[in-house]
Amino acid sequence: MSCDSDPYVFTTDALPNDPRFLPPLANGLLGWKVFDSIMHMGGVYNGEAGDCHRADIPCPLAAKIETEEPAQHNYTLDAHTGIFSHTLSSASVTASQSLYCHRFYANILVMEVLLERRVTSEEPVVVNLVTSFDPHSKDIQFESSPDYKGGRHIEGQTAKAEFPGGSCPTVHLIWTPVPSTVSLPPEQTKARWGFILVVANSLEAAKSSYDEGLNLMETGNLRPSHEKAWKELWLQSKVEVTGSETLSKAVVGCMFYLLSAFPSIHDTSSYFGGLSPGGLSNGGDGQDYWGHVFWDQDVWMYPGIALFYPKLARSVLEYRVGTIDGAKDNAQKQGYKGLKFPWESAVSGREVCPDDIYGQQEIHINGDVTLAFQHYLYLTEDLSVFTEGKGREVIFGVADYWVSRVKWNPDDQKYHLLGVMPPDEYYYNVNNSVYTNTVAKLSLQFAVELADFLQHSAPKEWQEVAERIEIPFDQELQYHPEYDGYSKGQPVKQADTVMLGYPLGLPMPPEVRRNDLEAYEPVTDPNGPAMTWGMFAIGWLELGEAEKAQRLLEKCFKNIQGPFQVWSESSDGSGAVNFLTGMGGFLQAVLFGYTGFRVQKECLAFAPLLPDEICELCVRGINYLGNQMDWLLRKDDVCVILREQTGRAGNTNPHKLQVVLKASGAKIPLKPGQPVTFPREAGCICKMDPPTSCWPL
């Protein structure tokens, strides 16, 4: 397949005019925008409270190849391998520079340079390596340390802790020195150079990783081990669209950048710094939300990855578990019980939002966090994350918070949440945000359910508040107002009430779902954040209106700043860059919209529908109850293949599954390696002979 037709290869002969749209390379620990003099490391922040931001780390591999003679340039990001390359062709030489964040050895960043002589000559061929590296940082006071095995070494500590008494992380850099030129002598036709940079939090880890990098270079396994790790990831998940090249590239780009933000599936360090809107390559002081973790992680980025990779999904949950102490502190400072997860989170879980009102009022974050835990349990039935993994402390702590936060109104005999900010941040200090109250209701119900699973005695208040919390609804207009006092037609910043249907799954008649979509679509800010239109698209797909959904989803294409499929938060290119939140929303529209997948308590429901321009949608590697499935959706039928077990699916004893079709009630067992084809209609995947129905109300 040529580069022009391969949706995994993004190539151009000119770099973007705006350097913000250069491709970011990341591996869940390190993040770097190619050629940039600055990089970042997960969990390394500088500044206290609202001043906390990702600490800038200088990048010694910030170098470009150049020649004195005229040359043609090509720049390619290969999503198959996670390698960015710059190829320069002049009359005398072809020079190639390859850059990658190692996908397996997370502390290592690599630059490789290859020179190939094009003509025989008695003159040496010289290529310049023009560097922008400066070994200083405004966030870390670096000092030179003794060289290590030929590598330069600097170390430093961030200037200010996230909270008083907190620790300031140490950062060590060891790297292969980068010369100002590389050359081919007259008698040589080809030569290759390798340069590695190691970034670590301790001297021991830095030396160990540098030793590993040197050994990999010596054995010729540095690049192959990286490519192997990416290949393994793509074997476990692929989303391929036939019929729209633009959509196909967009989906691949989203998957690639989201996967780049997660740690390796083989990572055993149990440390992961969470997912920020602009990813690891962005988030310095004053830009891209300072690298903080929002609801974006749990609601927007997480679901599309959790559908394929239980281990990566669990890393998100473990990040939240690691912030329990901070969440407890937040709740106490607000005068409530339980846990209050921060609107903006760094390492400790204490609130680091620069503007106090968001941390005080945008409390739906609590329900957003528990929704991810619920999603994981239903996909995996893995209770260990709630027992030894301490996930139950998250779920029960959030439930306690809701109970202490609500106010009882004797007039309507309902519980109310007062003085909140909904996801639509145009409004604040409102009462009974319909999204906030609904997600609170769901998290309370899940707390009761989990307590039953774990044979834990649940306080009766959890169920009582869940049953009697106010969910605003206009009986006359038959739609959900965004909050008490909202007037139909008021402008809206982003997806809010339309998320009641998906992802929250609040039961409602189709006409109410339609009324919500029609009420909010025309008043939603066309320049709002990129994830919004994916939620509208999912809503219209639920109602069978594929072409209307497609028109809305295509609005997202304006947020993709080519040629490297880098997203901006807003369609005019402004806002956060490499906007993973928007990618997550877009990917959900494909994975949960076209397929109709809904992760439910006892089944994975589906209701496939494709727009006219898409001939086929192939989704490989869906991971459900320890099984991996490949799905092929066509206009009139669906084919599902249960994969042969390889031991990677995350469950050593996977459940036997069946397809149950809703209209006919037909039950079709799924057997490994045997394709099952059925007419395109709604149904579900569930265990053989499930105990109860899983159909939504």
Side-chain angles (χ1 to χ4, degrees):
M1 185 178 284
S2 70
C3 288
D4 291 337
S5 60
D6 187 343
Y8 287 79
V9 178
F10 314 136
T11 188
T12 180
D13 57 6
L15 292 174
N17 292 326
D18 188 337
R20 296 183 310 142
F21 303 130
L22 286 169
L25 302 175
N27 61 12
L29 180 66
L30 306 180
W32 179 53
K33 197 155 39 190
V34 299
F35 304 136
D36 199 346
S37 60
I38 295 298
M39 63 184 298
H40 298 108
M41 183 180 191
V44 178
Y45 293 87
N46 184 42
E48 185 180 323
D51 293 325
C52 171
H53 56 274
R54 287 203 194 282
D56 285 353
I57 298 173
C59 182
L61 302 189
K64 285 184 181 179
I65 53 173
E66 291 184 6
T67 58
E68 301 296 335
E69 58 184 342
Q72 292 183 319
H73 297 263
N74 176 269
Y75 306 91
T76 297
L77 176 63
D78 187 342
H80 289 294
T81 61
I83 295 175
F84 174 83
S85 60
H86 171 204
T87 301
L88 172 159
S89 296
S90 70
S92 60
V93 68
T94 297
S96 298
Q97 177 186 22
S98 298
L99 305 166
Y100 53 96
C101 270
H102 205 287
R103 183 67 265 197
F104 189 89
Y105 300 99
N107 297 87
I108 300 177
L109 184 69
V110 182
M111 177 174 73
E112 298 170 346
V113 177
L114 171 66
L115 301 189
E116 294 183 89
R117 186 185 289 276
R118 300 190 69 181
V119 294
T120 303
S121 170
E122 295 183 3
E123 298 295 323
V125 171
V126 179
V127 172
N128 299 320
L129 291 173
V130 181
T131 180
S132 58
F133 171 57
D134 178 351
H136 301 95
S137 165
K138 61 185 178 60
D139 296 308
I140 302 171
Q141 186 66 46
F142 280 107
E143 295 181 357
S144 295
S145 294
D147 287 0
Y148 179 70
K149 295 187 177 179
R152 300 286 185 265
H153 178 202
I154 59 175
E155 64 176 291
Q157 197 171 34
T158 57
K160 194 146 192 177
E162 183 185 324
F163 61 94
S167 62
C168 292
T170 298
V171 178
H172 289 261
L173 274 67
I174 303 177
W175 71 95
T176 315
V178 178
S180 58
T181 63
V182 289
S183 60
L184 285 174
E187 68 277 5
Q188 196 169 359
T189 59
K190 182 190 295 188
R192 185 186 302 271
W193 293 261
F195 306 91
I196 58 172
L197 163 67
V198 161
V199 186
N201 289 127
S202 71
L203 178 59
E204 182 184 8
K207 288 182 175 180
S208 174
S209 293
Y210 195 73
D211 289 344
E212 188 70 63
L214 292 178
N215 180 61
L216 289 166
M217 283 202 292
E218 187 178 334
T219 59
N221 200 35
L222 183 61
R223 185 166 178 152
S225 59
H226 166 79
E227 293 180 341
K228 179 183 176 183
W230 266 111
K231 183 178 181 180
E232 186 176 13
L233 273 177
W234 287 125
L235 283 173
Q236 290 198 44
S237 73
K238 263 189 183 174
V239 185
E240 297 173 329
V241 179
T242 304
S244 169
E245 183 179 347
T246 304
L247 180 62
S248 183
K249 275 189 175 289
V251 168
V252 170
C254 291
M255 284 291 291
F256 171 74
Y257 287 123
L258 283 166
L259 284 172
S260 297
F262 281 86
S264 164
I265 54 176
H266 299 289
D267 182 52
T268 57
S269 68
S270 75
Y271 178 77
F272 172 55
L275 303 165
S276 58
L280 272 166
S281 58
N282 300 308
D285 192 8
Q287 48 109 356
D288 300 302
Y289 296 107
W290 291 263
H292 295 165
V293 178
F294 294 71
W295 75 314
D296 305 44
Q297 168 186 261
D298 313 87
V299 168
W300 297 101
M301 306 176 207
Y302 169 89
I305 298 301
L307 203 55
F308 300 101
Y309 302 96
K311 191 174 190 312
L312 299 186
R314 183 163 178 154
S315 68
V316 167
L317 309 185
E318 289 170 346
Y319 167 78
R320 289 297 187 185
V321 167
T323 64
I324 283 175
D325 288 345
K328 190 177 297 182
D329 185 66
N330 297 333
Q332 289 173 351
K333 285 178 178 174
Q334 290 189 1
Y336 301 114
K337 296 178 181 177
L339 304 178
K340 164 60 177 68
F341 284 95
W343 178 240
E344 299 189 28
S345 180
V347 175
S348 74
R350 289 165 174 80
E351 184 63 66
V352 292
C353 182
D355 299 305
D356 187 58
I357 191 170
Y358 296 96
Q360 291 291 331
Q361 295 195 10
E362 206 150 355
I363 61 175
H364 65 81
I365 179 66
N366 261 13
D368 303 327
V369 168
T370 62
L371 195 66
F373 279 82
Q374 182 176 358
H375 191 97
Y376 177 83
L377 181 61
Y378 291 175
L379 277 172
T380 66
E381 292 192 351
D382 174 16
L383 281 170
S384 68
V385 78
F386 298 93
T387 51
E388 57 260 37
K390 298 186 179 180
R392 62 182 169 189
E393 293 183 33
V394 171
I395 306 306
F396 298 162
V398 166
D400 288 339
Y401 176 85
W402 291 128
V403 169
S404 68
R405 181 66 169 78
V406 294
K407 299 293 183 184
W408 173 252
N409 186 326
D411 296 334
D412 62 6
Q413 297 287 293
K414 296 280 189 180
Y415 289 100
H416 295 240
L417 283 169
L418 309 178
V420 305
M421 181 184 290
D424 173 13
E425 294 169 330
Y426 284 171
Y427 305 99
Y428 56 91
N429 209 32
V430 303
N431 299 332
N432 294 318
S433 150
V434 69
Y435 178 93
T436 305
N437 287 25
T438 301
V439 84
K441 178 186 182 79
L442 294 176
S443 58
L444 284 161
Q445 290 173 333
F446 182 57
V448 172
E449 181 185 312
L450 182 66
D452 185 53
F453 271 140
L454 301 178
Q455 298 182 324
H456 173 89
S457 179
K460 67 180 189 310
E461 292 86 359
W462 292 357
Q463 186 65 40
E464 180 184 333
V465 174
E467 290 176 352
R468 305 186 78 168
I469 193 168
E470 169 70 7
I471 305 296
F473 184 70
D474 188 315
Q475 290 288 350
E476 181 182 349
L477 298 177
Q478 288 290 295
Y479 91 113
H480 293 94
E482 188 176 283
Y483 53 83
D484 285 354
Y486 176 84
S487 297
K488 197 172 180 180
Q490 285 181 259
V492 168
K493 177 187 176 184
Q494 63 186 61
D496 184 311
T497 308
V498 297
M499 297 174 70
L500 299 182
Y502 175 88
L504 300 192
L506 182 70
M508 68 183 79
E511 58 268 26
V512 173
R513 182 74 158 126
R514 178 180 295 274
N515 291 343
D516 284 351
L517 292 166
E518 290 180 342
Y520 293 103
E521 183 184 323
V523 297
T524 298
D525 188 342
N527 297 314
M531 66 279 193
T532 286
W533 301 116
M535 293 301 106
F536 279 98
I538 289 174
W540 287 117
L541 284 162
E542 278 183 12
L543 297 173
E545 300 206 26
E547 302 314 311
K548 185 176 284 190
Q550 194 65 9
R551 287 197 301 274
L552 289 170
L553 191 60
E554 287 172 357
K555 286 188 176 187
C556 297
F557 293 157
K558 295 178 182 177
N559 296 77
I560 302 174
Q561 311 298 332
F564 300 113
Q565 300 291 309
V566 174
W567 282 55
S568 59
E569 182 175 10
S570 300
S571 57
D572 62 1
S574 63
V577 174
N578 197 38
F579 191 50
L580 297 179
T581 312
M583 297 185 203
F586 181 84
L587 193 60
Q588 286 187 64
V590 174
L591 289 175
F592 296 90
Y594 294 152
T595 64
F597 284 151
R598 296 292 183 272
V599 180
Q600 297 176 357
K601 183 178 178 181
E602 290 174 341
C603 73
L604 176 64
F606 57 84
L609 181 64
L610 298 179
D612 289 342
E613 70 178 79
I614 297 178
C615 308
E616 291 183 352
L617 174 65
C618 185
V619 183
R620 302 180 188 271
I622 298 296
N623 203 313
Y624 182 60
L625 301 184
N627 296 274
Q628 286 184 297
M629 297 175 284
D630 297 336
W631 288 66
L632 178 62
L633 279 58
R634 293 178 286 238
K635 295 294 184 187
D636 300 317
D637 60 22
V638 177
C639 179
V640 182
I641 301 177
L642 187 67
R643 291 189 183 182
E644 303 277 0
Q645 288 301 313
T646 62
R648 284 202 308 260
N651 190 328
T652 53
N653 296 300
H655 292 283
K656 292 183 178 180
L657 300 179
Q658 63 183 344
V659 176
V660 181
L661 299 179
K662 187 176 182 181
S664 65
K667 298 181 179 180
I668 311 168
L670 289 174
K671 298 179 180 179
Q674 297 184 16
V676 168
T677 302
F678 49 89
R680 183 184 63 79
E681 63 172 282
C684 74
I685 301 290
C686 58
K687 298 177 194 175
M688 298 288 284
D689 301 318
T692 59
S693 170
C694 64
W695 302 118
L697 298 175

